[in-house]
Amino acid sequence: RAAMKSLRFLCAEAFVANAEFARRSLGSVAHNLFPLLFKASYLLERGEVIHDLVENWPLVDLNMGKLLGKTADCQEDLSHRTCSVCLESCLTGLRDYVLQPPSPYMKRLKVVDLTGIKDVEVQFCECKKPMGRWARTQLLAKICLELLLHVQGARRGPGAAEISVDVLVDLFVTERNYELVVQALLTRCSCPLKIHCVAFRADNLTPQKFFYIIKLTDPSLLRKLEVVHNVRLEMQHLQILFNSTRFPLLVSLTLPARTFNVRRLTAADELVLSAVGEKLSEMTHLTELSMAFSILTGRVRKLLSPLKTPLKVLDVSNCSLNHADMAYLANSLHSNHLEVLDLSGHNIPDLYPATFFKLLGHSSSVLRSLILEECNIQDNHVNMLILGLSPCRKLQEFKFLGNPLSAEALKHLFRFFCELPMLKNVEFPVPRDCYPIGTAYPIDDANLCNFDRQKYDRVAEELKGILLQGNKEGVKASTPLFGTYDAAVEETNNELGTYLMKSFKETLEKFTNSLKEMSL
């Protein structure tokens, strides 16, 4: 359905449709119409007009989330359009706002907020070329350094050095853009555009480089920190980081795989683990924590019990939790507040069914997203699962890929899904009966695609038909075999792939050298 547009917005679209005319006429446009024209230009991908609007921005703030989100004049939310043409025009317009000579009016812009932009899988812009978070980080850093040269150079525009604009941004740093971003952060005080990092994602960095750049971002302002994949952060590194750096406003923390490994802990390691838990408790705003693919067996209480604020988001997927861990979660202060919960990779039906359903019962009034991938949920567990999910009336998302369920069991589940009033997204497994008899679960990558696709398509159509019959046509049901789309991984997969190949080569060389030494 087409989004509702006011007459004002339709007039704005007509105005910016002719880019040349619009650019010539901006000088006579009322200042309060700039936000309206910005959104209209963004919708029509009029890059030149966006550039000139930002270059001549007459207001105190420019908030991308508010400008592109739903407004009274246009109900369509454009904040998920990371259109390369539009975003590059916006950032270069900001550069030229600083560089242009003084105009008849006072330059008033003080704050630019770029944090409201959302990266999604499908782009609806005509150019089909997204500018992801990494690329936005790269371009903003380049522009800051370019402006610094102009300010310091003899040919700088009059008054350029006196301009100061705070730019709120989500930074994404890898080895490839590390040096550029470091330079931009080091010279921030001298640059007219002051980078203020609200969220930071690090991947493919050594711990030393990560420690250095995180301090440059001004951690006192950070609300979200993601340290992922190829940052080899271990428990001891975490203690060093938390001892040397405070994160008073941090709301969300994601740690890389294998940060914690509690197997064969020494007495000193136990002290480190306790110290990390105490440091987490000092983050009084922390409500989102992801520790996926660590080994936490029997230590969840030690890490989470010091927290003074209940968690709303918890990801402990593939963390080898035992019954004591699940019992702690079910009885902790967090259980009544969990809105997003990921327990993937645990054999829930066999290890701790009663405790899990107790946890589910406590969180049922607020739970929005539940992820139970590769949890060995079988046909004979479906009725119990339905019983546990029934009170979860606010559930919007349920992901249960990789479970050995038959087509009939899935149909039973989907009939129940029609009873959940707020459900929007379901990720379901390929039915067990689509795979060859004897296929072992969890299915390895080599056999993941070895199923009867025609049979799967028939079952998928039947499942979607059940949703339609239950007036749930708005529910998205899919089977992403290799996991949910991750915009950040997609954007940097070439760099990460190269890194993995390099790591594999180095490991192979070390192994070969060891064999040679043994044979001598």
Side-chain angles (χ1 to χ4, degrees):
R1 288 181 303 183
M4 291 292 292
K5 298 176 184 177
S6 69
L7 183 58
R8 269 169 36 105
F9 193 83
L10 292 172
C11 291
E13 282 188 295
F15 179 81
V16 302
N18 185 331
E20 189 177 339
F21 169 77
R23 296 174 77 187
R24 283 201 317 267
S25 308
L26 280 184
S28 56
V29 171
H31 293 177
N32 65 341
L33 292 177
F34 270 61
L36 187 73
L37 294 175
F38 184 91
K39 186 169 184 179
S41 302
Y42 205 97
L43 181 63
L44 299 180
E45 295 178 45
R46 295 295 186 267
E48 311 99 314
V49 182
I50 290 172
H51 172 278
D52 288 9
L53 282 166
V54 176
E55 184 183 15
N56 297 284
W57 199 256
L59 307 174
V60 175
D61 72 314
L62 192 158
N63 187 313
M64 291 290 281
K66 289 182 179 177
L67 289 171
L68 299 179
K70 290 183 180 181
T71 60
D73 289 298
C74 178
Q75 291 294 303
E76 188 171 358
D77 186 351
L78 304 180
S79 60
H80 57 276
R81 288 198 188 186
T82 55
C83 172
S84 184
V85 170
C86 296
L87 289 174
E88 185 170 348
S89 298
C90 183
L91 288 173
T92 54
L94 185 59
R95 175 200 63 198
D96 294 341
Y97 173 90
V98 174
L99 292 176
Q100 70 168 336
S103 57
Y105 65 88
M106 179 78 72
K107 288 192 175 184
R108 299 177 62 204
L109 185 60
K110 295 297 178 187
V111 180
V112 174
D113 190 340
L114 302 175
T115 62
I117 302 166
K118 303 168 192 139
D119 296 290
V120 295
E121 183 173 4
V122 180
Q123 287 295 323
F124 292 98
C125 57
E126 287 182 17
C127 74
K128 302 295 181 190
K129 249 186 93 178
M131 178 182 282
R133 184 173 164 189
W134 188 92
R136 297 195 296 272
T137 299
Q138 173 96 340
L139 180 57
L140 179 62
K142 279 183 179 178
I143 285 173
C144 287
L145 293 175
E146 187 179 332
L147 285 173
L148 189 66
L149 292 174
H150 277 275
V151 168
Q152 293 175 341
R155 296 192 301 162
R156 68 176 181 266
E162 285 72 44
I163 295 172
S164 179
V165 181
D166 292 336
V167 182
L168 308 184
V169 64
D170 299 341
L171 295 180
F172 180 11
V173 178
T174 64
E175 179 67 37
R176 197 153 53 98
N177 67 353
Y178 173 81
E179 293 296 339
L180 185 70
V181 179
V182 163
Q183 289 304 312
L185 292 173
L186 279 171
T187 55
R188 172 171 48 192
C189 293
S190 307
C191 182
L193 297 181
K194 315 290 185 188
I195 293 178
H196 291 278
C197 182
V198 178
F200 186 87
R201 181 183 176 101
D203 197 352
N204 196 24
L205 290 178
T206 63
Q208 291 78 13
K209 286 185 174 181
F210 167 69
F211 287 164
Y212 182 63
I213 196 169
I214 200 66
K215 290 183 179 179
L216 293 180
T217 63
D218 188 359
S220 65
L221 298 176
L222 270 183
R223 294 181 62 80
K224 184 173 185 177
L225 175 59
E226 297 172 278
V227 192
V228 297
H229 305 121
N230 296 312
V231 181
R232 303 300 183 200
L233 209 62
E234 295 180 359
M235 194 165 57
Q236 290 76 11
H237 295 128
L238 208 56
Q239 185 189 26
I240 294 168
L241 175 66
F242 290 162
N243 282 340
S244 61
T245 311
R246 289 189 67 248
F247 300 91
L249 298 181
L250 198 68
V251 173
S252 178
L253 175 62
T254 298
L255 298 171
R258 296 179 295 281
T259 298
F260 300 99
N261 184 350
V262 303
R263 287 178 183 157
R264 298 183 297 278
L265 281 186
T266 65
D269 292 334
E270 290 284 5
L271 291 174
V272 170
L273 193 67
S274 297
V276 169
E278 288 301 324
K279 287 297 180 181
L280 288 174
S281 73
E282 294 175 11
M283 301 175 193
T284 54
H285 295 275
L286 187 69
T287 58
E288 302 178 7
L289 183 60
S290 173
M291 303 181 287
F293 289 93
S294 278
I295 298 174
L296 296 173
T297 314
R299 301 304 197 287
V300 169
R301 178 190 292 273
K302 183 169 277 193
L303 274 173
L304 301 189
S305 62
L307 296 183
K308 298 178 178 69
T309 308
L311 292 172
K312 294 181 180 179
V313 177
L314 178 61
D315 181 355
V316 282
S317 56
N318 299 282
C319 284
S320 303
L321 303 188
N322 64 14
H323 188 272
D325 297 315
M326 191 61 72
Y328 166 73
L329 289 177
N331 295 291
S332 69
L333 84 160
H334 308 293
S335 64
N336 294 304
H337 300 269
L338 287 171
E339 298 176 14
V340 179
L341 177 62
D342 191 342
L343 290 169
S344 298
H346 295 100
N347 191 341
I348 288 172
D350 289 345
L351 294 179
Y352 24 63
T355 320
F356 165 70
F357 285 113
K358 184 178 181 181
L359 171 60
L360 204 56
H362 285 174
S363 62
S364 61
S365 63
V366 293
L367 192 65
R368 292 184 290 105
S369 175
L370 178 63
I371 308 173
L372 300 175
E373 297 178 357
E374 296 187 350
C375 285
N376 196 33
I377 299 170
Q378 301 181 37
D379 289 16
N380 57 321
H381 304 132
V382 166
N383 287 332
M384 185 170 60
L385 180 62
I386 288 173
L387 196 64
L389 291 175
S390 292
C392 303
R393 311 306 289 172
K394 292 186 179 178
L395 195 68
Q396 297 178 23
E397 178 177 71
F398 182 40
K399 301 179 181 180
F400 58 112
L401 297 167
N403 287 291
L405 291 163
S406 69
E408 285 305 312
L410 288 172
K411 290 173 193 176
H412 188 23
L413 269 173
F414 269 66
R415 281 189 283 270
F416 161 70
F417 292 156
C418 295
E419 299 173 17
L420 294 175
M422 301 185 72
L423 193 66
K424 294 178 182 175
N425 184 43
V426 173
E427 291 186 2
F428 64 95
V430 173
R432 187 190 66 221
D433 30 349
C434 291
Y435 282 103
I437 295 171
T439 299
Y441 281 78
I443 304 173
D444 57 37
D445 288 349
N447 294 304
L448 198 58
C449 297
N450 183 28
F451 61 90
D452 186 330
R453 292 183 179 274
Q454 288 185 335
K455 188 172 182 178
Y456 166 79
D457 289 340
R458 287 196 301 271
V459 174
E461 282 304 310
E462 287 183 64
L463 297 177
K464 289 170 185 177
I466 291 171
L467 293 176
L468 286 173
Q469 287 172 8
N471 295 317
K472 287 288 182 181
E473 61 274 4
V475 174
K476 179 187 174 186
S478 60
T479 306
L481 285 176
F482 297 99
T484 306
Y485 176 82
D486 185 324
V489 171
E490 187 68 24
E491 186 181 13
T492 55
N493 59 6
N494 289 337
E495 178 183 354
L496 301 184
T498 302
Y499 173 84
L500 289 172
M501 287 298 293
K502 182 182 175 186
S503 297
F504 177 73
K505 185 180 177 183
E506 288 173 355
T507 303
L508 199 60
E509 286 174 354
K510 287 178 184 177
F511 179 68
T512 305
N513 290 335
S514 298
L515 287 177
K516 286 178 181 177
E517 289 172 8
M518 290 172 65
S519 63
L520 291 176

